[in-house]
Amino acid sequence: MQLTQLTTIFLAILTPTIIKPAVGKVNSKSAIIEDIVEYKDFKKLLRTKTNVLVLFSSNGKQSAEQIRVFKETADAVKGTGTMVLMDCSQAEKKKLCKKLKVNPEPVALKHYKDGDFHKDYDRQMSVTSMVNFMRDPAGDLPWEEDPVGKDVIHFGDYASFIKHLKKDIRPMLVMFYVPWCGFCKRLKPDFSKAATELKSEGYLLAGMDVERQENALARRVYNITGFPTIIYFENGKFKQIYEGDNNKDGIMAFMRDPSSVTIKKPKELEWSADTNSEIVHLTKQGFEPALKDEKSVLVMFYAPWCGHCKRMKPEYEKAALEMKQKNVPGVLAALDATKESAIAEQYKVKGYPTIKYFVNGQFKFDVNVRDADKIIEFMKDPKEPPPPPPPEKSWEEEEDTEVVFLNDQNFATTLKRKKHALVMFYAPWCGHCKSTKPEFNAAAKALKDDSRMILAAVDCTRDNAVCSQHDVRGYPTIKYFSYLKTKQEYNGGRKREDFIAYMKKANDIVPKAKTEQHEEL
């Protein structure tokens, strides 16, 4: 979907529920718990709350600023975490602070997770840092808080990113990433160093964590399915996806002169080579030994070149990490079916990805889950799914359509003979494509008697060469062609009448243009 077609930006606004502490009371102006005095009440709180941050203070006047930040954070994380303020200078609380072996000078912040002490808070004393910590206390230091990344622009939400593109036209390279991605972690230091060295030359390097809900729209707009995805912007506009060397020198050379650098796609590392992965990678020799003692295993049979596998891979990784953090029983495993074809044949793998469930090495049934949330939900309660519905007919197989279907072989030969052609480049799984399809069908039917015009479609998951040739970067992309010599983006509406009006207007304009050209000659 093109950025210019978005008329409204929907941002998810979380509406948290107010925390009702098990003990003590909540200040009417804050979500902070302040009235815990007894050790038994503190332990009871830790049993009922899984994510607790405590600020211990010894001098209210000296720690006034830290307490202010702490209280603001408490309001921001309601429903996500629990904030406790413990004034150890008060006589009734001195005993509790001593029992907990805390001696604040003047403050100490300690985090408790799942009923036990987890770690000392070691981030910046700011609302943003504290909120990030409470969202993921066991996670790595966010990139925007790492001093090494001080010269990288960090977009906290998609709205601020769009605002920046409108007002700052300097060349900018944006790395779209997720915190758990191993490849992203390895690239961040080089990306940060490049940002520092290029800053004085007027080039911008930026980052956006697209796992955050407030940045979800960026994933849809730029069709981001793998991480990191690095995109180059110039004059506030999308220019191209960066596919050069993933190191400081490669990034700097590209930014200084994008046109002179050969953009080559780096050799993709094998999935099993990712040392940060929580996925168990299986081989023919280790397949049975690895599974026989495991009570619950999900195995993803994949091919490295498979687009659907690439889209599922980050979700599978995310699910494995969450299962580890939340102690969800079971193992997520993967097997490269192109390398271990004998195993794939043994289990009748016909397409990719194929997901199969095993118990103690015994195959039980196939599973159709590809999103992290659905994978975790299944592993919590593994049940055989109901029989799948009959497969949906492809658009090309539908009988009641006048759309002409093009592919890598017939695209050029067909369009060279057509005065007016409107071509929809699509993917069968794309929701926007599905909603546009009936309107496109209706327009094709209305124009079927005019031999000068066709409405055509290309399945980019099958015929990706022609889609790449015509710079298709999102779905659906609709382009107008005239004898294959004239080409322009279609940015109109997506209703039947919009397509018809556009084609009729093109028919009125093109002959006139040809006549004027003939008279000049």
Side-chain angles (χ1 to χ4, degrees):
M1 184 175 180
Q2 299 299 318
L3 189 60
T4 55
Q5 294 171 334
L6 289 171
T7 57
T8 307
I9 297 177
F10 293 98
L11 295 177
I13 302 176
L14 297 176
T15 308
T17 54
I18 297 175
I19 296 174
K20 294 182 179 179
V23 289
K25 66 180 181 180
V26 179
N27 188 308
S28 61
K29 296 181 181 180
S30 170
I32 283 188
I33 298 172
E34 299 188 57
D35 291 350
I36 296 178
V37 176
E38 300 293 334
Y39 181 72
K40 64 178 182 178
D41 290 337
F42 185 75
K43 295 301 288 184
K44 185 177 180 181
L45 176 75
L46 298 187
R47 287 197 301 271
T48 57
K49 302 295 180 183
T50 60
N51 182 16
V52 181
L53 187 64
V54 184
L55 186 149
F56 298 89
S57 70
S58 60
N59 186 310
K61 188 174 288 188
Q62 290 182 12
S63 55
E65 177 60 21
Q66 291 98 322
I67 292 172
R68 182 193 66 78
V69 171
F70 196 74
K71 287 183 175 181
E72 284 187 29
T73 304
D75 292 330
V77 300
K78 285 187 289 187
T80 301
T82 303
M83 312 287 279
V84 178
L85 188 59
M86 189 74 65
D87 186 351
C88 297
S89 65
Q90 295 178 4
E92 67 270 22
K93 295 183 181 178
K94 282 184 178 179
K95 185 177 178 181
L96 177 56
C97 294
K98 188 175 181 181
K99 178 78 173 177
L100 295 171
K101 299 180 180 179
V102 178
N103 184 26
E105 296 180 351
V107 298
L109 286 102
K110 295 185 178 291
H111 185 258
Y112 298 83
K113 185 174 181 288
D114 299 326
D116 293 311
F117 172 72
H118 173 225
K119 62 184 293 187
D120 288 320
Y121 177 80
D122 56 359
R123 307 272 181 91
Q124 297 174 17
M125 196 64 193
S126 69
V127 175
T128 300
S129 296
M130 212 169 285
V131 169
N132 285 340
F133 176 81
M134 292 300 283
R135 282 176 174 173
D136 185 14
D140 296 330
L141 181 71
W143 195 8
E144 62 264 31
E145 295 181 39
D146 189 338
V148 175
K150 63 183 175 61
D151 293 317
V152 175
I153 299 171
H154 298 280
F155 293 110
D157 57 70
Y158 183 72
S160 63
F161 169 67
I162 294 300
K163 186 176 179 180
H164 178 93
L165 286 180
K166 289 179 179 177
K167 70 177 184 180
D168 195 332
I169 62 172
R170 286 179 292 175
M172 180 169 68
L173 199 64
V174 183
M175 176 173 160
F176 296 91
Y177 68 96
V178 289
W180 45 263
C181 159
F183 297 111
C184 306
K185 291 178 182 179
R186 285 194 287 275
L187 179 58
K188 281 178 184 178
D190 271 28
F191 198 86
S192 298
K193 290 174 185 175
T196 298
E197 294 196 27
L198 290 169
K199 184 179 178 181
S200 61
E201 300 178 34
Y203 303 114
L204 306 178
L205 269 66
M208 183 188 290
D209 177 357
V210 290
E211 189 172 52
R212 294 180 183 175
Q213 181 62 35
E214 52 268 37
N215 290 328
L217 191 55
R219 292 175 76 159
R220 296 198 294 274
V221 171
Y222 298 109
N223 194 31
I224 296 170
T225 57
F227 309 108
T229 291
I230 304 173
I231 299 179
Y232 177 64
F233 295 83
E234 198 174 274
N235 295 319
K237 304 292 184 184
F238 172 100
K239 296 299 288 186
Q240 68 184 73
I241 294 177
Y242 173 76
E243 294 181 333
D245 291 333
N246 283 339
N247 55 46
K248 187 190 78 168
D249 292 340
I251 291 168
M252 291 180 65
F254 173 83
M255 291 301 289
R256 284 169 174 157
D257 189 358
S259 63
S260 68
V261 176
T262 302
I263 303 300
K264 63 183 181 68
K265 195 163 186 175
K267 184 179 179 182
E268 194 170 347
L269 288 175
E270 290 187 12
W271 189 6
S272 57
D274 185 357
T275 55
N276 291 296
S277 175
E278 296 295 336
I279 304 299
V280 175
H281 290 275
L282 303 170
T283 62
K284 180 181 178 181
Q285 290 75 21
F287 192 86
E288 291 183 6
L291 300 189
K292 69 175 183 178
D293 294 326
E294 296 292 344
K295 295 180 180 179
S296 180
V297 184
L298 207 59
V299 180
M300 173 181 168
F301 293 81
Y302 71 97
W305 45 261
C306 158
H308 294 295
C309 304
K310 290 178 180 179
R311 281 189 287 275
M312 180 179 169
K313 189 171 83 171
E315 294 291 317
Y316 207 53
E317 290 277 10
K318 180 182 177 183
L321 186 62
E322 285 193 26
M323 285 174 60
K324 179 182 178 182
Q325 292 173 343
K326 297 177 179 178
N327 295 318
V328 176
V331 173
L332 299 189
L335 181 134
D336 183 346
T338 63
K339 278 188 174 182
E340 310 294 351
S341 56
I343 294 289
E345 289 175 13
Q346 179 183 343
Y347 290 100
K348 298 180 173 58
V349 174
K350 302 293 184 184
Y352 309 116
T354 292
I355 303 101
K356 294 180 179 287
Y357 182 66
F358 292 79
V359 174
N360 293 123
Q362 297 296 313
F363 166 67
K364 292 299 181 181
F365 46 79
D366 287 335
V367 182
N368 186 23
V369 286
R370 297 193 182 184
D371 297 328
D373 292 343
K374 294 293 183 184
I375 293 167
I376 294 170
E377 182 182 328
F378 171 81
M379 293 301 284
K380 286 180 178 178
D381 184 19
K383 290 181 180 177
E384 185 170 4
E392 185 179 338
K393 278 188 176 181
S394 69
W395 191 2
E396 197 165 350
E397 292 173 331
E398 293 178 8
E399 297 176 2
D400 189 27
T401 181
E402 297 297 332
V403 172
V404 176
F405 294 93
L406 304 176
N407 53 45
D408 292 339
Q409 287 71 43
N410 67 5
F411 188 89
T413 55
T414 301
L415 295 193
K416 280 179 181 178
R417 301 195 302 268
K418 287 298 173 182
K419 189 174 186 177
H420 306 292
L422 199 61
V423 182
M424 176 174 159
F425 298 88
Y426 74 99
W429 47 262
C430 159
H432 295 294
C433 305
K434 290 178 180 179
S435 60
T436 304
K437 188 174 74 172
E439 301 292 335
F440 206 70
N441 277 338
K445 188 175 291 186
L447 297 172
K448 68 177 181 178
D449 294 329
D450 192 333
S451 60
R452 298 166 299 175
M453 302 181 183
I454 62 166
L455 267 67
V458 179
D459 180 351
C460 290
T461 64
R462 185 188 65 190
D463 298 291
N464 55 11
V466 69
C467 297
S468 298
Q469 180 185 349
H470 293 284
D471 200 30
V472 175
R473 298 193 180 277
Y475 307 121
T477 292
I478 304 173
K479 294 177 183 280
Y480 168 81
F481 297 85
S482 179
Y483 297 120
L484 206 59
K485 295 179 180 179
T486 301
K487 179 176 77 170
Q488 64 185 41
E489 294 280 344
Y490 173 84
N491 292 316
R494 294 187 181 177
K495 296 296 183 183
R496 168 188 178 276
E497 55 270 24
D498 297 321
F499 296 131
I500 294 172
Y502 182 89
M503 293 297 276
K504 288 184 175 179
K505 184 178 180 181
N507 190 47
D508 291 339
I509 293 173
V510 172
K512 183 179 178 182
K514 287 201 168 188
T515 302
E516 289 173 353
Q517 185 182 29
H518 178 73
E519 288 174 353
E520 288 176 1
L521 291 172

